[in-house]
Structures are given as C-alpha cells and as structure tokens.
Amino acid sequence: GQSLEQPSEVTAVEGAIVQINCTYQTSGFYGLSWYQQHDGGAPTFLSYNALDGLEETGRFSSFLSRSDSYGYLLLQELQMKDSASYFCAVNYGNTPLVFGKGTRLSVIA
Amino acid sequence: GAVVSQHPSRVICKSGTSVKIECRSLDFQATTMFWYRQFPKQSLMLMATSNEGSKATYEQGVEKDKFLINHASLTLSTLTVTSAHPEDSSFYICSARDKEAPLGYTFGSGTRLTVV
C-alpha cells in the first residue's frame, strides 16, 4: 500500500531551526503537502510541492526531491506556538490525501 | 477562501445511540467529500469517499452499515455513527474537494465524539 515515513517526535529549542523529513512511495505520486495540527484541532495546510526544490512561506519552507522520494518541512525561528503535530501527505492522482503518521514537535525554552 | 463548516464540534452520546455529523461547504460546491477518523496521537485515516448523488466508497475495514454517509446535495454531506460504542470514540474530520484551495482540499474543523 501507500505509506509515508516521518519521525514520530522532535524536540527543538525556541528560536532554533528544525527539519522534519518525510519519505513516500513513488508510484502515482503527484505532490507532497504538509499540515499542522494542534491538539484538538483540525489540520491546517502549510505547503505543497509538486516539483523538485524549495518552497518558502514565511518561517516555514518545504523541499521535495522526486528522484529520492523524499521531502522535508523546515521551520525557522521556532516559537512556542509551533508546538504541534506535523503531517506530510501525498496526493496520488485523483485520490484523497494519504497522511503520514505525524511528527510531534515540542518547542522548549 | 473556501470553508467547510462541520458540526457538532463535540458530542457525547450513550452507547447504543446514533450520532450525526454534518459538513457543509460554504461558497463552493463539494462534489466529493472525504471522511477521516483520527484516534489520539495517531494519523488521519480515510474512512470513506462520498460523491454527490451516489453511494459512498468505504475503505477496507470500515463498516458501511455502521458509518452511514449521505451526500444528497453539493453542499452537504453527513456521517451517521449508528449504534455507537466506546471504541467509536474518536476525532472525525471531513474534507471537501475544492478547485480554489491548495491541492483542492479543504478540511472541516472536526468533531470530537465520546461514547460513554
């Protein structure tokens, strides 16, 4: 089946930079997206990559390498409010998003 | 931007009763609606895909007679959890396909179901 791999937990210091990696299965791949979810809330869209390279949106950037079936989310100037779960999700053609298991980010002072 | 309104946000029900969750697309037509379930500290798992005017397609392992999905109009889809049991307690989220949203997917705010 289609599966995505991402670390289960990451801890980083306020003001630092953190990278969350995601690997996916290639067959039928259209694009990789990232979602943020705070406890008790719904996922909110952060970014999307369909082509190789880096997409920057403020403090958050996302990278994709199609040849490596790999992408990452980069969070800069970490703030306490960034503590949340981050999910990579893959778009396999005209199908619903397939989500990774999520990475729980804890930002500490 | 496109908005999907999901209600209720929280519901507590007794075991054996049924609960209906509604998702409405505001300002756009949701020809396709996806229903996800998320257990604590786990990922979003797709339960079913519904298309307006036709029967829903359920993922393997999801009981179609227990989780009734109705998508009778282009702006409303409902998920009814029938004869709920404590193991059905979860976070249920809908997602609608919208051409204007990034990737074409907009999520509802979720429903926290607790069965006691």
Side-chain angles (χ1 to χ4, degrees):
Chain A
Q2 300 155 338
S3 65
L4 290 80
E5 297 293 330
Q6 58 181 124
S8 58
E9 294 182 356
V10 172
T11 300
V13 178
E14 192 176 15
I17 299 172
V18 71
Q19 177 174 314
I20 301 173
N21 299 323
C22 176
T23 58
Y24 58 87
Q25 293 186 349
T26 306
S27 180
F29 174 84
Y30 265 32
L32 180 71
S33 55
W34 289 91
Y35 287 79
Q36 179 192 62
Q37 186 181 32
H38 286 97
D39 288 344
T44 57
F45 173 82
L46 293 178
S47 67
Y48 173 68
N49 296 70
L51 303 175
D52 286 355
L54 190 68
E55 294 284 340
E56 298 181 70
T57 310
R59 294 188 297 115
F60 295 175
S61 302
S62 59
F63 172 82
L64 177 67
S65 169
R66 295 178 69 108
S67 61
D68 296 323
S69 298
Y70 160 78
Y72 65 71
L73 178 69
L74 190 72
L75 297 86
Q76 303 181 69
E77 300 174 19
L78 281 174
Q79 301 175 10
M80 300 300 285
K81 67 178 182 180
D82 297 330
S83 293
S85 291
Y86 292 84
F87 294 90
C88 57
V90 170
N91 187 212
Y92 288 102
N94 194 34
T95 60
L97 290 173
V98 176
F99 286 85
K101 294 184 177 180
T103 298
R104 189 165 188 86
L105 171 64
S106 298
V107 180
I108 58 176
Chain B
V3 175
V4 172
S5 176
Q6 183 171 347
H7 294 281
S9 58
R10 292 178 180 273
V11 59
I12 300 173
C13 71
K14 291 184 178 180
S15 186
T17 62
S18 296
V19 173
K20 179 184 283 188
I21 302 169
E22 292 189 351
C23 276
R24 293 181 182 273
S25 58
L26 307 181
D27 300 327
F28 74 98
Q29 295 180 336
T31 55
T32 303
M33 190 79 78
F34 305 104
W35 287 93
Y36 292 86
R37 176 170 55 184
Q38 185 180 34
F39 292 107
K41 297 186 179 181
Q42 294 189 24
S43 186
L44 286 81
M45 299 302 296
L46 180 68
M47 298 176 66
T49 301
S50 71
N51 294 295
E52 185 268 337
S54 63
K55 291 184 179 180
T57 303
Y58 290 82
E59 296 299 299
Q60 191 172 9
V62 178
E63 300 176 58
K64 63 180 181 179
D65 294 330
K66 181 172 182 61
F67 298 99
L68 301 179
I69 291 173
N70 184 285
H71 195 161
S73 78
L74 287 171
T75 59
L76 174 65
S77 178
T78 61
L79 167 67
T80 302
V81 183
T82 63
S83 187
H85 290 99
E87 56 265 33
D88 298 325
S89 298
S90 186
F91 192 52
Y92 294 86
I93 309 173
C94 61
S95 174
R97 185 182 290 277
D98 168 37
K99 295 179 181 179
E100 302 302 321
L103 291 182
Y105 300 98
T106 300
F107 284 86
S109 55
T111 298
R112 173 75 58 192
L113 170 63
T114 303
V115 184
V116 298

